[in-house]
Amino acid sequence: MSRRSAPFVAPEDIIQDPLSKEGKSLAKELLSTLQADIAAFRADQFPPDILQQVRDMPIYQGNKDEVAAYHKRWQPLIDRALQFYPAAYLPPDNLPLPASLEIPQFIYHVQRLHLTKTRAKESKNFGSVGALIEKCGEFTEAECLRLEKVFANDETARLVAHREFIDLRAYVFCKNDKGELLDPERIRFYRTGLIVHALPDFKIVDSRQKPRKRRNDAYSNPLADNGVWKVYKKR
């Protein structure tokens, strides 16, 4: 039901030796250029000027021709992105492009859209206190000493930092060519935006006023807590 993203693959038709230091550097440079081009195009073309916004969300609906026309504007950038993520959209997994690219997600033949909020957490792993502070901010001196003690007692130890947040998701129900309702896809859309081809009987179910409960956390009693990130010894 949920979808990961397609893996990165350095394009060998552009980069002669993608595993070399020079090849990796060139791949990073080309990907950064693509991201900059996407950001510039997005600033000019998003939100869509030919589609209708769904509630107060970065979700836009239209008929098939309208969605296809807007999709066509993005296609050159999508084609460039597929050079780095060639598995995107292909069966059997049909994985999307990474959300970090901020290319809108296009879904056709949508019959129902179920908007939800759920309590979630972001998780990051670290092999040193310095790396933790660089990514997650400062902690008290006493907390840093406690964290350093973890590594002093076990050189192979790792720290895990959790940040709780409210995650917005859309459950997208589509119909196949026979008119049969398919199992829903759970889409994280807030960063990329979601473009849906709405069928004539399109419906919206908005459950955002009642966030779903997050599953119980396996970790408790953090070693450090700066108000945003809670840090534990990784199990």
Side-chain angles (χ1 to χ4, degrees):
M1 183 181 292
S2 62
R3 301 194 298 176
R4 306 179 306 277
S5 62
F8 174 85
V9 178
E12 295 184 1
D13 57 334
I14 299 176
I15 303 170
Q16 292 184 351
D17 188 359
L19 297 180
S20 67
K21 182 178 179 180
E22 294 77 11
K24 292 178 179 179
S25 178
L26 178 57
K28 184 177 181 179
E29 180 182 344
L30 292 174
L31 187 58
S32 295
T33 299
L34 172 61
Q35 290 174 315
D37 291 345
I38 290 171
F41 186 81
R42 186 181 176 91
D44 183 58
Q45 295 286 334
F46 192 90
D49 56 352
I50 59 174
L51 302 176
Q52 179 183 352
Q53 186 173 13
V54 173
R55 306 294 165 87
D56 56 342
M57 298 282 94
I59 303 175
Y60 300 86
Q61 69 176 79
N63 61 38
K64 188 173 183 179
D65 289 342
E66 291 168 337
V67 170
Y70 186 63
H71 199 166
K72 187 176 181 180
R73 299 183 196 177
W74 277 95
Q75 197 60 54
L77 289 168
I78 293 173
D79 290 341
R80 286 172 59 187
L82 290 175
Q83 292 181 306
F84 297 94
Y85 303 93
Y89 309 134
L90 295 179
D93 297 319
N94 299 306
L95 299 175
L97 291 166
S100 59
L101 292 179
E102 299 191 1
I103 292 177
Q105 300 181 72
F106 293 83
I107 302 182
Y108 291 80
H109 308 291
V110 178
Q111 191 273 327
R112 187 164 82 247
L113 199 61
H114 187 180
L115 305 175
T116 69
K117 281 185 178 179
T118 185
R119 290 180 173 86
K121 70 181 179 191
E122 182 180 2
S123 182
K124 294 180 181 292
N125 294 292
F126 301 97
S128 70
V129 176
L132 167 72
I133 293 173
E134 181 180 353
K135 294 292 185 180
C136 300
E138 298 292 333
F139 295 87
T140 67
E141 183 177 353
E143 288 173 327
C144 289
L145 290 174
R146 195 179 303 138
L147 297 173
E148 291 285 5
K149 190 176 180 179
V150 171
F151 295 108
N153 294 335
D154 182 1
E155 293 181 355
T156 65
R158 291 188 65 82
L159 299 173
V160 59
H162 292 167
R163 178 183 69 87
E164 294 186 352
F165 64 100
I166 297 294
D167 190 18
L168 289 167
R169 299 176 183 176
Y171 289 82
V172 184
F173 296 78
C174 299
K175 288 185 176 180
N176 61 20
D177 294 337
K178 298 179 180 179
E180 299 168 332
L181 192 63
L182 303 174
D183 291 335
E185 290 186 83
R186 186 179 65 187
I187 305 295
R188 288 184 173 91
F189 61 87
Y190 209 79
R191 186 171 183 179
T192 62
L194 178 61
I195 311 299
V196 298
H197 157 218
L199 295 173
D201 55 350
F202 178 68
K203 296 179 181 178
I204 301 170
V205 179
D206 193 341
S207 300
R208 289 176 294 158
Q209 283 66 41
K210 298 180 180 180
R212 300 170 61 196
K213 293 182 179 180
R214 182 174 57 80
R215 291 174 295 180
N216 291 334
D217 198 334
Y219 291 90
S220 60
N221 300 320
L223 298 172
D225 182 354
N226 65 2
V228 178
W229 294 93
K230 295 180 180 180
V231 186
Y232 310 86
K233 180 181 178 181
K234 185 174 176 62
R235 294 180 179 179

